[in-house]
Amino acid sequence: SLSSDERISCTFGFVDPSSSDHPGWPLRNLVAFLVIGLKLGDVRVNILSFRPGIIRRMSCESTSSSGLEVPIDDASNLLSIRLPMYDSYNDCKCVGWESNSRGKMGPRYVTLQSQLDPSHLAKQATNLNISLMKWRMIPDLKMTLVQQTKCLLIGAGTLGCNVARTLLGWGVNHITFVDNSKVSYSNPVRQSLFELKDCDVEYKAIAAANAIKRIAPVHSEGFVMSIPMPGHAMDKDGSDNNSSNDLSRLESLIRDHDVIFLLTDTRESRWLPTLIGKHFQKVVINAALGLDTYLVMRHGNNSQTNDLGCYFCNDVVAPENSTNNRTLDQQCTVTRPGLAPIAGSMAVELMVSLLHHHPHDTNNAKHSTNTHSSPLGLVPHQIRGSVATYDIITPKTPPFQHCTACSKVVLDHFDKQGHDFVMKVCIPGQQGIDYLEQVSGLKHYRNKVEMLDVDLDWDADDDDDTSASSKDDF
């Protein structure tokens, strides 16, 4: 409301969009407001029709002896108007409104978040890159299927960082990391998700998840936990409770994700995720590095048509503690820097190709030279490459009846005994390893071969250059 003095001295104004000699439509709204809102009916008032050529900022400290002495643009007009009576608005109907989303007359609004929010702009740009592939080159590309795939990365080191970055390139919106170590000073130069400020402070899983969310607007979490391994103590402090919690959490994470990437640094650390992935019939993709060689492979699932082996199907000994009685330099597998980006990208491309295959055909490896057998080409079982000879081969290996990770008898023991079975295997020393070989039938199989009087060496090759990646990978 206005005082009696303000009713006489006050000058009202509006920004006039009109370029003609007559004021624009906003004047009608202002007059209606003055009559209905401020009760100024039948009162003569001064109204400034402001038509700026250039919008200028006006200082709040600027003063003048009279409101009419403020310099105005030459195109503006000062109007003296006697306002209509209040009763003249009794039968007045509002014009200029449209029905809103609820079907009522009212103002409409437009959300500009997609044009102003950097996270929305980044997501649109990423989707555009993928859409261009679909529009121009691969009409059958299943963008939504790939983007909605939930990926679990077990190992957030050199391989984990490269796999995560390639997943972002494909627009994957859900990436979870599992790792139990902190970022060391040797990591940032090869592991692209870490910086010097993370060294000796941040856990890899947490730092990687935070870095992913800074790069792109995706859902990413990191879990700091240990993986029970054959031949290793279940927990550093000997607590079975913590080990059981880690086992339950790992089982839950694998169950809740669609694709599991095994990117750890030792052979034995891949055993339990392989077993649980087989149990839940998940897509499991394994990647490992040597000095100048790499291995990328997918595991067969538990269906009747399965003719693909897992990472352990070529082994005739159970996985054991590969770091036992070794010096630090022997525990580390040295790799050429360019190897991890190659293997990481191969692992993701294998996943995307597999997602585009017919669901009933995912257990078979395509060896045809016809690259049009699927929208993205062939889907091999294994990819073995070398940067020494620059060769790539795609072999296929069948499942092993006595495999310590994916054989039917091992899966049956896990189904019946659950965590108790894992506890019996994952104990320090040889006892758990012997038990696993006994259950899988591997020990009996070896004994039968030895009875044939064949000179064979059953020891695991400690220098297998595709058995593990760098120590800093996990």
Side-chain angles (χ1 to χ4, degrees):
S1 61
L2 300 176
S3 64
S4 56
D5 292 338
E6 290 173 337
R7 286 170 174 261
I8 299 174
S9 61
C10 214
T11 298
F12 304 94
F14 68 99
V15 178
D16 192 349
S18 175
S19 58
S20 67
D21 295 336
H22 305 284
W25 275 73
L27 178 60
R28 289 191 175 194
N29 297 331
L30 177 59
V31 170
F33 170 73
L34 296 177
V35 174
I36 300 174
L38 298 183
K39 312 298 184 186
L40 296 180
D42 198 30
V43 174
R44 181 171 292 279
V45 296
N46 294 319
I47 298 180
L48 175 62
S49 169
F50 186 53
R51 300 182 181 182
I54 300 176
I55 299 296
R56 300 181 180 87
R57 292 186 179 273
M58 301 179 67
S59 173
C60 296
E61 299 177 356
S62 301
T63 57
S64 61
S65 58
S66 172
L68 299 181
E69 295 179 6
V70 177
I72 60 175
D73 202 293
D74 291 339
S76 301
N77 296 304
L78 183 61
L79 310 174
S80 179
I81 301 175
R82 178 172 292 278
L83 301 177
M85 300 291 292
Y86 181 86
D87 296 339
S88 62
Y89 284 94
N90 289 340
D91 298 328
C92 179
K93 295 182 179 181
C94 295
V95 296
W97 298 100
E98 296 181 3
S99 298
N100 56 26
S101 58
R102 287 180 279 182
K104 297 182 178 180
M105 304 300 289
R108 290 195 175 197
Y109 64 90
V110 177
T111 302
L112 298 178
Q113 184 182 24
S114 60
Q115 303 297 325
L116 301 176
D117 189 348
S119 62
H120 278 74
L121 294 175
K123 182 171 291 188
Q124 288 177 351
T126 301
N127 291 340
L128 176 60
N129 289 336
I130 303 173
S131 297
L132 289 174
M133 286 192 292
K134 179 179 179 65
W135 297 337
R136 298 177 59 183
M137 306 298 293
I138 314 173
D140 295 329
L141 184 64
K142 301 176 182 177
M143 291 177 50
T144 304
L145 176 63
V146 175
Q147 293 170 351
Q148 293 179 351
T149 300
K150 296 181 179 180
C151 297
L152 175 63
L153 277 57
I154 301 181
T158 306
L159 281 169
C161 290
N162 284 283
V163 167
R165 292 302 297 258
T166 311
L167 288 173
L168 287 182
W170 272 106
V172 175
N173 292 315
H174 193 115
I175 303 174
T176 304
F177 296 91
V178 170
D179 204 297
N180 70 337
S181 60
K182 286 187 175 182
V183 181
S184 66
Y185 284 99
S186 64
N187 295 154
V189 294
R190 294 196 184 194
Q191 301 174 14
S192 58
L193 297 181
F194 307 134
E195 303 176 19
L196 285 176
K197 66 179 181 180
D198 301 323
C199 297
D200 285 346
V201 177
E202 296 287 347
Y203 282 95
K204 286 187 176 182
I206 305 299
N210 292 336
I212 284 292
K213 289 184 285 189
R214 289 195 299 269
I215 295 169
V218 299
H219 176 81
S220 185
E221 290 184 275
F223 293 88
V224 180
M225 52 181 286
S226 299
I227 298 177
M229 296 178 282
H232 292 253
M234 286 287 287
D235 201 274
K236 292 181 179 179
D237 59 5
S239 171
D240 290 337
N241 217 14
N242 291 340
S243 300
S244 181
N245 292 337
D246 285 344
L247 179 55
S248 299
R249 188 187 301 177
L250 178 64
E251 191 173 358
S252 176
L253 286 171
I254 293 177
R255 181 181 60 245
D256 295 339
H257 287 76
D258 304 313
V259 179
I260 317 301
F261 287 92
L262 304 186
L263 312 167
T264 55
D265 62 337
T266 61
R267 200 177 196 87
E268 60 269 22
S269 62
R270 303 165 192 254
W271 174 78
L272 184 58
T274 298
L275 174 62
I276 299 176
K278 186 80 170 182
H279 173 74
F280 289 117
Q281 299 189 30
K282 296 294 183 178
V283 175
V284 178
I285 296 180
N286 210 326
L289 304 177
L291 171 63
D292 49 22
T293 58
Y294 64 89
L295 164 68
V296 175
M297 68 177 297
R298 60 187 176 98
H299 296 178
N301 63 30
N302 204 19
S303 68
Q304 295 179 350
T305 60
N306 178 28
D307 67 343
L308 301 180
C310 76
Y311 186 66
F312 298 92
C313 281
N314 290 335
D315 293 348
V316 290
V317 292
E320 57 186 18
N321 190 342
S322 61
T323 63
N324 193 31
N325 297 325
R326 288 189 177 188
T327 60
L328 181 61
D329 63 307
Q330 291 174 328
Q331 294 179 24
C332 297
T333 301
V334 181
T335 64
R336 290 171 61 167
L339 214 58
I342 297 174
S345 59
M346 285 283 191
V348 176
E349 294 299 327
L350 181 59
M351 178 203 79
V352 176
S353 296
L354 186 61
L355 292 176
H356 283 76
H357 249 55
H358 193 278
H360 302 296
D361 203 26
T362 56
N363 287 307
N364 299 314
K366 295 297 183 180
H367 289 277
S368 169
T369 56
N370 179 15
T371 57
H372 299 290
S373 59
S374 74
L376 294 175
L378 306 181
V379 185
H381 177 213
Q382 300 182 30
I383 305 171
R384 292 179 178 266
S386 169
V387 294
T389 59
Y390 296 98
D391 291 332
I392 296 179
I393 59 174
T394 56
K396 171 185 173 183
T397 56
F400 182 35
Q401 181 182 359
H402 303 293
C403 177
T404 56
C406 72
S407 61
K408 185 178 184 304
V409 62
V410 173
L411 289 171
D412 289 342
H413 273 72
F414 181 73
D415 289 339
K416 294 175 183 178
Q417 301 180 25
H419 293 185
D420 291 337
F421 171 69
V422 179
M423 295 292 184
K424 293 177 182 178
V425 175
C426 299
I427 56 177
Q430 191 65 29
Q431 182 180 352
I433 299 171
D434 291 340
Y435 173 73
L436 181 58
E437 291 185 346
Q438 187 72 35
V439 168
S440 64
L442 189 59
K443 187 173 184 179
H444 177 67
Y445 174 80
R446 262 202 328 264
N447 290 337
K448 286 176 60 177
V449 175
E450 288 174 355
M451 292 176 61
L452 299 177
D453 195 24
V454 178
D455 185 16
L456 296 174
D457 183 8
W458 297 110
D459 293 335
D461 184 3
D462 292 340
D463 295 324
D464 181 5
D465 57 1
T466 58
S467 65
S469 54
S470 171
K471 181 65 179 174
D472 286 332
D473 275 347
F474 189 66

